[in-house]
């Protein structure tokens, strides 16, 4: 209970100076650098992915000797000056054969040749190699009918790598190509920068490690695993110390131990102000200079806290996963890479337009996560839009758009630069934008197995229709009920779109198993029972949902307790009833079944696809239509509780 | 000696069918796929970089409950319908505070509110959260002057990830973002495709492992380490079994053991036909169906051999490192990735023009390794040009250009698609094209430490001048002697170029230490001694080299033994004398000293820079000029045996 909101905490915050992103990063780096990078020596085979700590100068010539590049005979080119189609020159053979690894012992004197294999060292006197195919046996020797140019079919010593040249420079990331160059020079052990050991520690009374059962009010620790993995991806060696409750003494002991044994400490969690206060107080005692920046004019990421304690960086990431990951990449990765001896990351940029107005907060540099799809005039950047509290806002984005602190929005159609999270844009083969249904996964699974890449964005039925009209998707899944015609979807089609029938989803009244008030009733009777019980609480659906129209019809104009609880998905309705925040609601059969709720059928909802006619003949669209109609997929849909149209 | 060229070997080869690249790959894949991928279960923390073996369906909703997104109070939005600036609504406080991890116990009844922290579960009855900043204390309760919309400041259960949706599909490469999604759902153990174990084995009597001293005629094993590293980079687990001599019995035992304990066997080496025959004979006995393709119409890479023995791929890569790596990436990586359960690699392409005519062999698909620089009209692709025998042809290239089998050249200025080896082109800050000198490394080192990226391409002085005129570089290092004016470099400048003085390199007569014929003589006298000794052999330099002009002057028109031995670098001259292929030559002092040769000074050569005037003010060029003139660099040049101008 010690981390519930308190008024003193709020007043205190007003004294904290909010720094700009640039100022915060500059102060953080100034407190950390320059610093010596710790060097370790690794065998070549274990150096992959490490940063070279010192320049490497080639210790030998490569090749180390003049080398034959073909199988044939080492000759003196001027012996063959007169050779030609009509004029064979005969050369006596010296009494040795030079294989790879054989040191020549006899010189090639005038009028002689020495048999030599590819890779063999050229003997003294020879200045060219004649291919075995261009010779004929002639008694004890060979006969040649082609002139040879000096240097023909041989590589001179040092022509690949010259002794004394700087082969690789400090800071180079060691990949297979670098390993090849080093091996060619005989370098077996490399000076590399030791990876910074980064302790990752989650804080929060509510955190549960993945794999353990989730108690009520508990959430799985997402930041611990994702930050650890991102540390590994950016040159650090993560050591995940698990999650700690917000107990000051325990946490301080853990933080002191973590700081003593590692090069950097990253904390995450502490979404509430009370929890944050604990870690901030501890940091102030950990070492000098302490907190460098607490609060950055950055969205997402305002609560970021940067500290340096006795020369080591200590970071408190914001608790929301997308805020945590975004600030990690934007503010921590530059420092981590520098500590790892790596050059700055180079970001890949692409140009795109935004399809909709994107609001932004004045006074904070705002970063909007986006997904990219191919539009009619280039790439279109869709804000992923679930907010910084959602892990998928970050994980399903292709990159981000920056909105400067002085702008309060981006207009629809604005041209933007998208910074990619991965070096390349992978434009998907099939793009589906609209309402999501778990049945869709059944249709897409065979496509993905065929190697097609599919992007599906959840923006609701109307958002999907708008994207389809702009040509930004192939298909828009919709389930829109028209009150006037009492029919689904068809009345909402726009020009250039055609309807592809999908499946029906049974809607029903749901309640907790064992709730005697509703057992053995019809849906209409159950609603009546609910309306007449003053302790009974409903959960509604959002305005515009097909289910909402159904609920309003059931309620007949009344607005019982819980009417304003209006979540946007079938799953949220099931969770509210299951967890006792409501006693009844309307959701679809597969969701009710998965949640273990009692289900009283009401009516069927139509989940169909608005297909962009101009895209019908694309191979991926044809594959989608085949999959939708295939007996296997229809059976899978039925097994999942859907009724294919 | 058993691997020297033999006539029977050549005749035998004519019976081998050379397959096209596409046909060879298709037959290889048909013999290997479909096949089951072995699945292992890994904890999330050890799954980074692995391929997901099965689809993962979200087992829970994320968030698992309706969650507060700010610190404040859980309320019923209709209680605040009338609230406004002029009208405060008072709410009584329920007797609990909901922190993260606290399960609510009391419902929010009409006219009440419950304090709640960010991340806390919304209690029954509440449908919105009011921020603590928008409330005032009022006795035992709070006073609110703003209306609240339903759903305000809360995230509904399942709004991030919905239970039952397919979270990740089989074949997804697990990165930090995937780990975040899985952790959020509580997934702790993942089904991943076990990495294929790939045995890598080098063959060749001449091979020495890096770190060991290099005997005469020995070369370091480059392919073993580079193939092992490239296997690791492409989803395999390499096991390097070291290099084996071409002894049939030993090699067969090693290959049988390797095949038994691994999923794939890659051999490299065997540059000579004799050596290759041994491994081919062994493969024929290893298992069915055996050799699938031996000889592919691919350049580089013609000697590639693809086999399948008892269901396992066995590959003999060509011996030359660039051929080996190119064929590995082109033909083996697709199979390896498929065995590792990974989707096909997506290649990044960029458009460029070739600055020069690029010859190609008719009838073979030819791949030309190129380096990219920014030209006046986009990217320019320079063939790296040292041939497939050179490791640097591959390692210093940015990518490659494909020339179809039916073309015999690319004309100068041709527009080409370059397939990149890395996902992004990194256009360097400073481009230097021309003649190389180890002194240049001293000037560039401070620039690289400042974080500038530098590309230097060795194409000789005249090639550098041509590149400078086309605007493809900032500076062209040159050392050209004009016979007419008896001066260096200045006479060769073209319009729009200016001369930046570099340094002088002392040229001299070199011989092995202890060679009595030349000891204590002047350079002129040493040449005379050489010319009068019939057993004495010289090493010359290539036509066009400044050193060659000097040598021709010394020889006064005579062409002694060794005159046609015309390597292209100072290092090759030193190696020829040191290794006894020649008795004397002319090279520069630092190279003679590094090789441990006796050096008799002759004259100084001028190594200067042709600067593209239009590029003089670029920051990287200014940094170069500052570095060139800095006392530290001048001192470093002097210590390395150069005399700064």
């Amino acid at each position: 209970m010690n981390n519930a909101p308190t008024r003193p905490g709020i007043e205190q915050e007003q004294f904290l100076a909010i720094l700009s992103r640039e100022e915060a990063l500059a102060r953080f780096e100034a407190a950390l650098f320059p610093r010596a990078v710790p060097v370790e020596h690794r065998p070549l085979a274990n150096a992959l992915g490490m940063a070279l700590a010192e320049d490497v100068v080639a210790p030998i010539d490569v090749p180390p000797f003049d080398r034959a590049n073909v199988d044939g005979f080492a000759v003196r080119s001027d012996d063959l000056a007169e050779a030609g189609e009509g004029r064979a020159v005969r050369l006596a053979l010296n009494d040795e054969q030079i294989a790879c690894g054989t040191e020549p012992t006899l010189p090639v004197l005038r009028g002689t040749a020495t048999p030599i294999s590819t890779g063999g060292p050229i003997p003294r006197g020879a200045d060219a190699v004649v291919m075995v195919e261009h010779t004929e046996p002639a008694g004890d020797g060979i006969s040649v009918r082609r002139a040879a140019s000096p240097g023909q079919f041989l590589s001179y010593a040092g022509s690949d790598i010259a002794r004394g040249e700087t082969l690789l420079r400090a800071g180079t990331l060691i990949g297979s190509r670098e390993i090849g160059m080093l091996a060619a020079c005989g370098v077996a052990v490399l000076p590399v920068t030791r990876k910074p050991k980064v302790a990752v520690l989650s804080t929060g009374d509510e955190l549960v490690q993945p794999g353990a059962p989730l108690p009520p009010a508990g959430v799985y620790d997402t930041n611990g695993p994702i930050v650890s993995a991102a540390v590994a991806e950016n040159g650090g060696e993560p050591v995940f110390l698990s999650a700690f409750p917000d107990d000051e003494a325990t946490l301080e002991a853990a933080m002191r131990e973590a700081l003593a044994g590692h090069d950097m400490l990253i904390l995450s969690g502490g979404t509430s102000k009370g929890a944050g206060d604990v870690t901030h107080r501890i940091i102030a005692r950990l070492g000098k200079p302490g907190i460098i920046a607490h609060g950055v004019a950055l969205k997402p990421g305002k609560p970021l806290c940067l500290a340096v304690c006795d020369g080591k960086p200590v970071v408190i990431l914001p608790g929301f996963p997308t805020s945590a990951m975004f600030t990690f990449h934007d503010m921590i990765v530059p420092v981590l890479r520098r500590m790892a001896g790596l050059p700055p990351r180079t970001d890949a940029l692409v140009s795109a337009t935004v399809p909709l107005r994107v609001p932004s907060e004045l006074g904070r540099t705002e970063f909007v996560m986006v997904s990219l799809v191919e539009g009619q005039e280039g790439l279109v950047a869709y804000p992923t839009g679930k907010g910084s509290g959602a892990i998928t806002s970050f994980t399903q984005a292709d990159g981000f758009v920056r909105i400067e602190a002085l702008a309060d929005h981006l207009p629809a159609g604005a041209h933007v630069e998208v910074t990619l999270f991965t070096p390349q844009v992978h434009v998907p083969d099939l793009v589906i934008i609209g309402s999501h249904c778990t049945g869709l996964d059944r249709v897409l699974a065979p496509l993905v197995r065929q190697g097609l890449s599919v992007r599906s964005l959840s923006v609701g039925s109307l958002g999907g229709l708008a994207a389809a009209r702009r040509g930004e998707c192939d298909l828009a899944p919709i389930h829109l009920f028209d009150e006037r015609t009492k029919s689904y979807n068809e009345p909402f089609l726009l020009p250039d779109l055609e309807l592809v029938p999908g499946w029906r989803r049974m809607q029903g009244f749901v309640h907790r198993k064992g709730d005697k008030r509703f057992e053995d009733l019809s849906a209409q009777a159950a609603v009546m029972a609910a309306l007449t019980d003053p302790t009974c609480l409903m959960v509604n659906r959002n305005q515009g949902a097909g289910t909402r129209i159904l609920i309003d019809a059931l309620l007949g104009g009344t607005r019982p307790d819980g009417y304003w609880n209006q979540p946007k998905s079938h799953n949220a309705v099931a969770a509210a009833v299951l967890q006792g925040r409501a006693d009844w609601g309307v959701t679809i059969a597969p969701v009710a079944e998965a949640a273990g709720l009692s289900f009283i059928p009401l009516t069927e909802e139509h989940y169909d696809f608005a297909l962009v006619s101009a895209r019908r003949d694309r191979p991926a669209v044809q594959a989608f239509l085949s999959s939708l109609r295939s007996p296997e997929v229809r059976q899978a849909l039925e097994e999942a509780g859907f009724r294919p149209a």
Side-chain angles (χ1 to χ4, degrees), chain A:
Chain A
M1 298 258 173
N2 61 353
N3 55 358
T6 52
R7 251 148 237 299
I10 293 155
E11 281 152 22
Q12 191 181 31
E13 179 167 307
Q14 294 167 351
F15 293 100
L16 292 171
I18 301 287
L19 299 181
S20 73
R21 176 188 166 277
E22 289 68 24
E23 176 70 16
L25 192 54
R27 290 194 193 180
F28 193 39
E29 294 198 312
L32 287 168
F33 302 103
R35 63 199 286 131
V37 289
V39 176
E40 62 175 332
H41 288 80
R42 288 202 172 204
L44 206 52
N46 291 336
L48 197 65
M50 304 296 292
L52 193 61
E54 296 159 13
D55 292 356
V56 174
V57 172
I60 63 161
D61 285 320
V62 178
F65 42 77
D66 300 346
R67 180 191 64 193
N69 286 338
V70 293
D71 290 343
F73 300 91
V75 300
R76 300 171 70 118
S77 59
D78 58 349
D79 276 349
L80 299 176
E82 307 292 310
E85 266 313 313
R87 181 160 182 160
V89 169
R90 191 182 172 285
L91 298 173
L93 285 185
N94 294 306
D95 188 22
E96 69 175 346
Q97 289 202 320
I98 303 168
C100 286
T102 311
E103 193 180 8
T105 54
L106 304 174
V108 173
L109 299 176
R110 278 194 193 289
T112 73
T114 299
I116 191 165
S117 295
T118 308
I122 303 294
R124 178 178 165 102
D127 58 42
V129 178
V130 174
M131 286 174 84
V132 69
E133 293 89 329
H134 298 157
T135 65
E136 286 165 26
D140 292 344
I142 56 169
S143 164
V144 188
R145 287 178 187 272
R146 288 189 190 215
S149 50
Q152 167 182 296
F153 297 128
L154 64 82
S155 289
Y156 289 105
S159 57
D160 189 355
I161 296 170
R163 182 212 312 244
E165 72 174 290
T166 302
L167 200 58
L168 294 169
R169 296 195 182 276
T172 303
L173 184 66
I174 303 297
S176 59
R177 304 200 294 165
E178 286 70 28
I179 284 182
M181 290 172 75
L182 293 162
C185 289
V187 176
V189 173
L190 268 190
V192 295
T193 304
R194 179 172 65 69
K195 291 191 176 195
K197 281 192 187 172
V198 181
V200 178
L201 194 152
S202 305
T203 63
D205 296 328
E206 78 283 17
L207 296 183
V208 177
Q209 289 309 306
L214 198 63
V219 296
Y220 285 115
D221 181 10
T222 305
N223 287 355
I226 195 174
V227 169
S228 299
V231 164
E233 286 175 340
N234 285 282
E237 184 186 323
V239 181
F240 179 49
L241 302 176
S242 193
F244 287 78
D246 297 322
D247 172 75
E248 191 156 341
T250 318
L251 198 55
E252 177 162 353
M255 285 170 68
R256 285 192 181 277
E257 198 182 322
L259 200 61
H262 302 85
D263 302 305
M264 187 180 208
L265 170 59
I266 301 179
L267 294 104
S268 70
T271 38
S272 72
K273 291 207 179 58
D277 288 346
V278 174
T279 36
H280 294 126
R281 274 200 304 273
I282 298 171
I283 287 181
R285 297 192 292 264
L286 277 188
K288 295 286 165 200
I291 292 175
I292 302 285
H294 181 195
V296 179
L298 187 67
K299 184 175 178 180
K302 189 174 165 191
L304 177 70
C305 175
L306 305 172
V308 175
C309 299
D310 294 337
K312 295 179 180 178
V314 178
V315 175
I316 310 177
L317 295 177
F320 278 157
T322 287
S323 307
M325 285 323 295
F326 188 78
T327 49
F328 177 80
H329 281 280
D330 190 50
M331 307 284 282
I332 313 305
V333 165
V335 165
L336 179 58
R337 289 185 65 97
R338 222 171 136 180
M339 287 174 70
L342 291 167
R345 184 180 50 193
T346 50
D347 288 324
L349 299 170
V350 293
S351 297
T353 52
V354 290
L356 314 155
R357 183 180 194 278
V358 183
S360 168
E361 189 179 322
L362 206 62
R364 281 162 75 184
T365 306
E366 184 157 345
F367 296 89
V368 179
M369 310 297 134
V370 296
S371 284
L372 293 167
V373 298
E374 194 79 65
Q376 280 159 334
E377 286 159 21
L379 291 171
V380 178
Y382 269 84
T384 48
K386 288 182 183 174
S388 64
I391 178 76
T392 51
S393 294
F394 179 76
T395 53
Q396 295 181 340
D398 290 309
F400 62 85
V401 168
R402 180 188 171 113
I403 308 180
E404 296 306 328
L406 294 178
D408 69 350
H409 76 286
L410 284 177
H415 292 275
V416 291
E417 286 275 275
V418 178
T419 305
L420 299 177
F421 287 134
T422 52
Q424 278 177 274
V425 184
H426 300 284
V427 176
D429 298 311
L430 184 72
V431 178
I432 297 178
I433 301 181
S435 171
H436 186 73
C437 174
T438 57
L440 191 53
D441 289 334
R442 270 74 182 181
V443 186
L444 299 181
L447 275 60
V448 175
R449 278 198 294 275
Q450 287 164 35
L452 292 173
S453 63
V454 181
R455 162 151 289 159
S456 96
L457 298 178
S458 271
V459 300
S461 297
L462 290 172
L465 284 175
R469 199 172 47 171
R470 289 192 302 263
E472 291 160 13
C473 62
D474 300 293
L475 294 144
I478 54 176
H479 50 101
L480 292 165
F481 185 71
D482 180 49
E483 196 57 51
R484 199 178 49 80
T485 60
K486 306 286 179 204
S487 68
Y488 273 96
N489 300 334
E490 188 73 49
F492 294 89
L493 280 190
L494 300 158
D496 308 324
L497 299 181
E498 55 196 83
L499 201 71
V500 175
W503 49 86
R504 310 289 161 88
R505 320 193 288 192
M506 182 57 78
Q507 298 269 12
F509 178 102
V510 289
H511 62 88
R512 285 181 296 282
K513 282 186 178 158
D515 190 333
K516 303 280 181 222
R517 292 174 289 189
F518 309 122
E519 275 184 0
D520 303 322
L521 298 181
S522 72
Q524 296 291 344
V527 171
M528 284 313 295
L531 292 180
T532 52
D533 177 354
T535 69
C536 194
L537 208 57
M538 75 170 289
V539 55
N540 202 345
R541 274 297 303 280
N542 57 309
Q543 195 69 258
T547 314
R548 169 66 172 269
I549 295 164
L550 200 62
I551 294 169
D552 280 339
L554 282 170
L555 293 177
T558 64
R559 291 182 170 183
D561 249 21
Y563 184 86
W564 298 105
N565 188 11
Q566 303 182 349
K568 291 180 187 138
S569 76
H570 296 300
N571 281 52
V573 169
V577 175
L578 186 72
Q579 294 164 5
R581 280 190 302 285
D583 300 309
W584 70 274
V586 175
T587 192
I588 58 173
V591 165
E593 191 182 343
L597 293 173
S598 283
F599 181 83
I600 309 171
L602 260 170
T603 183
E604 277 187 334
E605 178 178 66
H606 296 216
Y607 183 87
D608 298 322
F609 298 88
L611 167 63
V612 179
S613 302
R615 300 207 180 193
R616 196 200 306 126
D617 294 334
R618 300 181 67 203
V621 173
Q622 285 300 313
F624 175 88
L625 297 175
S626 300
S627 173
L628 184 62
R629 292 176 198 129
S630 77
E632 297 75 22
V633 166
R634 292 175 67 91
Q635 192 185 331
L637 283 167
E638 278 170 22
E639 284 167 7
F642 303 103
R643 195 166 69 84

